[in-house]
Amino acid sequence: MARAGQRVKAGRAGGRLADRIGIGVLTAAFPPDVVDAAVDEWDAREQRVRQLPARVMAYYAMAMVLFFDSGYSEVWNKLLSGLGWAKTWRQRRQVDMQPSTAAITKARARLGWEPVAEMLRVSMAAAQSGPREAPWAYWRGLRKLAIDGFTMNVQAGQSNDAVFGRPSNEKGEGAFPQVRVVALAETGSRALQGVQVGPLSEGEQTMARRLWPLLTGDDLVVADRLFLSHQDLAAVIAAGAHAIFRVKAGVDLPVLEVLPDGSYLSRIAGPEQAKRLRRRKADPADIPGIGVRIIEYSVSAGTTGTGGGQDAQEAGELFCLATTLTGHEQYPITEFPDRYAERWEIETAIGEVETRLRGGPEVVLRSKSPDMVYQEVYALLCVYQAIRHLIATAAEHGGLDPDRISFTRAAQAVRRHASDEAALSPL
C-alpha cells in the first residue's frame, strides 16, 4: 500500500502505478487474475513495458462506462482522483499517470474487444444459491430465466455503417447505425447468463439460437412470441431445460387433449414437415411436432364504473402460452400468468443498461470503429454485471430479495468509490 509522500518509480517491475490500478468495487466481479486470464486467452498482452498495459485498459474500458459523459483524459483523472498520495499533476506525470488521449486510443485498440467479452463470459456463472436460500430465483425447483434483445446507436461513419447497418422504415434510414444485443438473464437476480452482440442485420431469434446451449437442466426460460419456433423449442429441450413462450397469431395449435384445468395439449410442428403434410390434406392432429401444453388467459385493461355502483372489468388482451411443462398438477395453470409477467424483469434490466448506465436509449456510444464499439458494449455489460454482483452479495448478506435493492443507488455507489485507495489491486 502506497503511503503519503512515497514516490513510485515508473518502469520498475511490479512497482508501476499502472500495475496497481483497480476500479473500485468492480474488482469484486472482475479481479485482476480474471482480467489477466482473459488478456492472455486472446494474446493481448503487451510485448514491452508500457504505461497503459492491457489489464489497465480493461479496467479503463469499464471506467469509460461509469463516467460516460467525460472525455478520455477526464475518465483517467476520475479513475485516479482518490489517490491522495499523488499530490500534483507533476508527480502524476512523473509516474506515468497522465497519458494523452491518443495514447489511450491506441492502448484500447491494442487490447481489442475479445478480452473484455471473455471477462463477461467468465462472470456469467449460474447462481450458487438454491431454492431454499434464494426462493425469488426459482419456481417449483426451476431456475427462472428470460431472454430479450435491444439495440444501441453507434457513431455514424463508413466503417460502422458497413459493419452494423442502420434501421429503416417507410420514411427512410435512421440517423445512426445500430448494434444489436440479445441477453439471457436470471429473472430473480437480473444477472446476465448469456449475451450475443452483433450487427442489426442479425435478427434476435438468430442470435438467441447461440444462447440456448447455455441452458442447463432445471432451467426455465420465458420468452416473447418472437422466439417461438419448432427449432427454438427443440434447442431448449436439447439443453435439458424447459420453456414458456408466448404464441404469435397464426400458429397452428390442434387440440390433442383437454386437461382438467382447462389447458390443453398440442404440438409445435416443424415447418417443412407440416407444409408437406398439409399439401396432402392430412388431419392437423396427425402432423407430428414437439408436444406442448397451451394455456390461455386474458388480462383486464382496467375497470369502469357501472350504474349499480359496482366495477366491471373491461375486455383485455388475450395471452396464449406454449410450455414444455405439460403436468397440470405439478405446474398449476393459475401460476403461469405470473411466470410470464416475470419476463418484464429482463425489460427492467435492459432499461437499467440503457438509462441508468448509458443515459438513455437515444445516447450514441462514443466509439468510432467497429472493434471499439464491440469493446464498449461488452464493457457496458461488464459494469452492469458487476453492479448486479454487488446487489446480489448485499441481498445475500441481508437476507433480502435483490429487487428490494436500488440499482440506481448501487451504480452511484460504484461511481463514488471507483478510485478508492482501499480498492486498488496490489498485484
Side-chain angles (χ1 to χ4, degrees):
M1 175 70 68
R3 299 180 299 277
Q6 179 182 355
R7 293 185 63 189
V8 180
K9 296 182 179 179
R12 179 179 165 184
R16 293 179 303 147
L17 177 66
D19 287 333
R20 300 212 299 271
I21 290 178
I23 188 170
V25 294
L26 299 187
T27 53
F30 302 100
D33 58 335
V34 169
V35 176
D36 289 344
V39 168
D40 291 337
E41 174 75 17
W42 287 95
D43 197 23
R45 181 76 61 188
E46 58 277 0
Q47 299 301 310
R48 60 187 177 87
V49 175
R50 297 180 181 273
Q51 67 168 337
L52 296 173
R55 182 205 293 174
V56 171
M57 294 316 299
Y59 286 127
Y60 180 87
M62 291 189 283
M64 287 173 52
V65 173
L66 288 177
F67 307 116
F68 189 83
D69 295 329
S70 300
Y72 279 13
S73 294
E74 186 59 22
V75 170
W76 183 264
N77 295 341
K78 288 180 177 180
L79 185 59
L80 303 177
S81 62
L83 303 182
W85 51 272
K87 294 296 184 181
T88 66
W89 293 115
R90 178 182 59 78
Q91 288 175 311
R92 294 186 178 191
R93 286 194 295 271
Q94 287 175 350
V95 292
D96 295 331
M97 293 180 64
Q98 192 60 20
S100 66
T101 297
I104 292 173
T105 301
K106 291 178 181 178
R108 284 188 65 203
R110 285 195 303 271
L111 174 66
W113 62 269
E114 294 91 347
V116 186
E118 177 66 12
M119 290 162 49
L120 179 64
R121 186 194 67 78
V122 171
S123 77
M124 294 188 294
Q128 298 301 308
S129 300
R132 180 175 297 179
E133 298 82 9
W136 56 82
Y138 294 85
W139 174 64
R140 296 187 173 268
L142 301 174
R143 184 174 65 124
K144 299 180 295 183
L145 299 146
I147 193 168
D148 210 346
F150 62 104
T151 58
M152 290 185 281
N153 294 332
V154 303
Q155 294 284 337
Q158 186 174 358
S159 59
N160 281 347
D161 273 284
V163 169
F164 298 111
R166 299 192 185 206
S168 61
N169 54 31
E170 64 277 1
K171 297 181 181 180
E173 284 191 336
F176 297 98
Q178 290 184 338
V179 59
R180 188 185 301 282
V181 179
V182 174
L184 180 70
E186 293 177 336
T187 59
S189 66
R190 298 184 198 155
L192 299 173
Q193 297 298 293
V195 164
Q196 284 291 306
V197 181
L200 201 60
S201 59
E202 279 201 279
E204 290 184 9
Q205 193 174 40
T206 300
M207 297 171 76
R209 287 169 183 163
R210 296 196 286 272
L211 296 177
W212 300 139
L214 300 176
L215 297 172
T216 61
D218 298 328
D219 281 349
L220 171 63
V221 61
V222 181
D224 203 357
R225 49 193 152 200
L226 172 67
F227 297 95
L228 175 63
S229 74
H230 183 277
Q231 181 178 349
D232 291 285
L233 271 180
V236 172
I237 293 170
H242 294 282
I244 300 175
F245 287 177
R246 189 174 179 185
V247 181
K248 57 186 128 181
V251 175
D252 180 24
L253 294 172
V255 179
L256 303 181
E257 180 185 348
V258 177
L259 299 175
D261 61 1
S263 63
Y264 63 91
L265 300 182
S266 185
R267 56 97 183 100
I268 302 296
E272 295 303 321
Q273 191 175 26
K275 187 184 299 183
R276 183 172 63 255
L277 291 174
R278 286 193 187 99
R279 283 199 299 264
R280 298 176 184 175
K281 301 188 182 303
D283 188 308
D286 295 332
I287 299 175
I290 297 174
V292 293
R293 177 181 170 204
I294 302 300
I295 295 166
E296 296 178 336
Y297 63 96
S298 61
V299 176
S300 63
T303 58
T304 56
T306 63
Q310 296 178 345
D311 288 339
Q313 289 189 336
E314 296 179 350
E317 185 176 5
L318 177 67
F319 287 78
C320 179
L321 306 180
T323 178
T324 57
L325 301 170
T326 55
H328 67 280
E329 293 181 344
Q330 185 178 2
Y331 304 104
I333 189 173
T334 54
E335 298 180 14
F336 278 83
D338 286 341
R339 297 292 75 74
Y340 183 73
E342 286 176 337
R343 189 188 70 82
W344 288 101
E345 295 290 349
I346 196 167
E347 298 281 356
T348 301
I350 290 171
E352 289 166 346
V353 170
E354 289 192 319
T355 304
R356 306 303 179 207
L357 293 179
R358 193 160 61 95
E362 296 81 16
V363 172
V364 182
L365 298 180
R366 71 171 85 203
S367 300
K368 297 181 180 179
S369 69
D371 279 357
M372 294 302 94
V373 168
Y374 278 114
Q375 185 190 87
E376 187 173 353
V377 171
Y378 281 113
L380 173 64
L381 297 174
C382 280
V383 171
Y384 170 82
Q385 188 78 336
I387 295 173
R388 277 287 151 205
H389 178 273
L390 176 65
I391 289 173
T393 301
E396 182 177 352
H397 285 307
L400 301 172
D401 186 328
D403 282 347
R404 297 186 61 186
I405 299 178
S406 167
F407 183 90
T408 300
R409 291 186 179 181
Q412 291 169 346
V414 169
R415 289 188 177 97
R416 281 198 307 270
H417 298 289
S419 56
D420 282 0
E421 290 190 61
L424 294 182
S425 164
L427 301 179

